[in-house]
Amino acid sequence: MITLKEALKLPKEEIEAFRTDLKQKIEATKSLGAYVEQLTCKTISEYGSGIPIAIKDNIQVNGWEVTSGSNILQGYVAPYNATVIDNMVRHGLSPFGRTNMDEFAMGSSTESSFYGKTLNPHNPKCVPGGSSGGSAAAVAGGIAIAALGSDTGGSIRQPAAFCGCVGLKPTYGKVSRYGLGAYSSSLDQIGPITQNVEDAAILYDIIAGHEPKDSTSANMAHQSVADKLNANRKMTIAVIENYLNEASPEVRERMMDGIRALEKAGHKIIYRNFINSKYDIATYYVIATAEASANLSRYDGVRYGNRGSNENLKEMFIQSRSLGFGEEVKRRILLGTFVLSSGYYDAYYIKAQKARHFIKAQYESIFKEADLIFMPVTPTSAFEFGSKADPLEMYLSDIYTISLNLTGLPGISVPLGMDSKGLPVGGQLIGQAYGEQALLDGALSLERELGL
């Protein structure tokens, strides 16, 4: 597949021919299920005539049906563009196809989508990760130049690692959330999934910037990073030793390959530890579900999508939400409503916010000694469909990614190689707030030294 950097140099006629070829390729690979259109046997959604970029099904594109992978939003047509879409169009890029996702971005495997599951391009028995599994599978499967995803607890980095792509979660607020279907407002962040680090930097530059309509958007001028990439920049990189030791043997081996590559590139490696990651999980699921309970209250059958037909208003609410939401979404709404309820708010939600501050302080302490942090993305490579029937077991697959969303820091998943089953393994570099330049410089250095 042509890279984004190469595609930006194509004349208009060649872009048009490429779009036609790509449409045929998507049609020929329906079994992958990366796009909603592949799963529903519909024509690929298009907007404009620029370089085609796949878009996650929770990002608004004017005139498209945008459903967040849910039954409750069937029939909803977006009346406006998300800020990232307008930014793309201004730079000659065009939305091209809705990628499959876990319902309302709640999941780690893309199994909870209303449309059905997406397969991992490296092994159809395995999950592509989630919730942006469709975006990662499309890029890894050679049916997208690049894609946009959203990351609430690792939903860009984890599928990128499972599929062997590069996935960038920017600093919270650097890329506007205006037009993103809300799951957890203080954690959600749009970012690129690409074939390489340079493409991630290019697409990040295109979509980043302040949005006056978004109160969480960082009010600062965007400094481009792609034109200043420097793989020869030497940095101090802290490896989180206890996370490394807790990972599976094969993930640990590939992480050691990455550490040796960084040392060979001239970076100084130091080893540090975090507190037990179980506190990250507990904090994340209290805050995320509390915010989801509030955000998803708007889906009541009155204004959006499907409506349950009943004789009175109360029954209509109950029927619309009971039939419209999937099991995982209902589970998280119930948990979120519980932690916000009278008598439990202080015991859970306030305590979780205090723990969030403590987690952020841990990162700040390590960044006094290091420029970047390096740790696994996931404890294992991609798991098989149905192997994590217990929701709690599924939640643990995000154990190394969620702390970045709690702190708002930027992170990038970079492929480190394959395990013995032929499945990709990724490592993540983490930067300081608004430190995307150093983060991408370090990622480019790692990518080039590994030569993958």
Side-chain angles (χ1 to χ4, degrees), residues 112-393:
S112 70
S113 169
F114 169 70
Y115 301 105
K117 62 189 181 185
T118 297
L119 309 182
N120 189 311
H122 297 275
N123 185 339
K125 293 180 181 177
C126 293
V127 303
S131 62
S132 308
S135 294
V139 174
I143 51 174
I145 293 175
L148 291 187
S150 66
D151 194 310
T152 307
S155 292
I156 287 173
R157 290 161 288 141
Q158 187 248 29
F162 277 4
C163 291
C165 311
V166 171
L168 172 65
K169 175 216 165 292
T171 304
Y172 183 79
K174 273 298 290 175
V175 176
S176 174
R177 295 187 306 108
Y178 182 75
L180 172 69
Y183 162 19
S184 180
S185 303
S186 73
L187 305 172
D188 297 337
Q189 186 61 71
I190 297 172
I193 296 177
T194 58
Q195 300 172 60
N196 57 54
V197 172
E198 192 171 9
D199 277 2
I202 292 167
L203 190 48
Y204 165 70
D205 275 344
I206 288 170
I207 63 175
H210 177 59
E211 171 53 72
K213 296 190 286 288
D214 177 2
S215 63
T216 62
S217 175
N219 191 359
M220 58 193 294
H222 175 66
Q223 302 292 322
S224 63
V225 295
D227 58 343
K228 303 183 193 76
L229 284 174
N230 180 11
N232 298 316
R233 180 177 177 181
K234 309 305 178 195
M235 289 178 273
T236 300
I237 300 174
V239 175
I240 306 304
E241 193 170 19
N242 57 323
Y243 285 10
L244 182 65
N245 294 334
E246 289 165 7
S248 70
E250 294 208 61
V251 169
R252 196 158 55 243
E253 282 176 30
R254 297 290 77 77
M255 280 290 296
M256 291 307 300
D257 290 342
I259 292 166
R260 285 188 286 268
L262 289 167
E263 285 180 320
K264 192 178 175 184
H267 302 289
K268 180 184 176 183
I269 302 296
I270 61 175
Y271 290 86
R272 295 294 180 268
N273 288 300
F274 276 163
I275 58 162
N276 195 316
S277 52
K278 70 181 182 181
Y279 299 115
D280 297 351
I281 288 277
T283 303
Y284 172 82
Y285 278 100
V286 168
I287 292 171
T289 57
E291 293 182 4
S293 172
N295 279 325
L296 270 62
S297 64
R298 70 191 71 175
Y299 303 112
D300 53 14
V302 176
R303 290 157 290 191
Y304 304 97
N306 278 341
R307 174 184 295 180
S309 55
N310 275 281
E311 293 181 5
N312 62 68
L313 188 63
K314 181 180 177 182
E315 281 301 310
M316 188 200 74
F317 287 160
I318 293 169
Q319 287 298 315
S320 297
R321 290 170 69 83
S322 297
L323 298 173
F325 289 136
E327 292 306 310
E328 183 58 35
V329 174
K330 290 176 188 173
R331 187 180 295 116
R332 297 195 192 197
I333 290 172
L334 283 169
L335 178 56
T337 304
F338 171 74
V339 300
L340 290 175
S341 61
S342 176
Y344 295 100
Y345 182 82
D346 288 348
Y348 291 103
Y349 188 72
I350 296 298
K351 188 176 282 187
Q353 292 291 7
K354 290 176 181 176
R356 185 179 195 172
H357 181 75
F358 178 73
I359 292 163
K360 187 177 181 182
Q362 280 191 115
Y363 276 100
E364 289 170 350
S365 174
I366 291 177
F367 279 129
K368 289 176 182 175
E369 306 174 78
D371 302 300
L372 298 174
I373 293 171
F374 186 49
M375 62 189 194
V377 181
T378 55
T380 65
S381 56
F383 47 87
E384 291 191 4
F385 286 103
S387 63
K388 296 190 184 293
D390 180 359
L392 292 176
E393 194 180 350

Side-chain angles (χ1 to χ4, degrees), residues 86-107:
D86 284 337
N87 290 347
M88 279 174 43
V89 172
R90 274 197 297 271
H91 287 83
L93 275 54
S94 291
F96 193 87
R98 298 156 51 203
T99 58
N100 197 26
M101 59 179 283
D102 281 299
E103 185 181 8
F104 283 106
M106 298 182 189

Side-chain angles (χ1 to χ4, degrees), residues 414-437:
V414 180
L416 301 178
M418 300 287 191
D419 67 8
S420 60
K421 299 179 217 167
L423 291 166
V425 174
Q428 64 178 330
L429 285 163
I430 299 157
Q432 299 185 52
Y434 309 110
E436 275 81 358
Q437 186 69 64

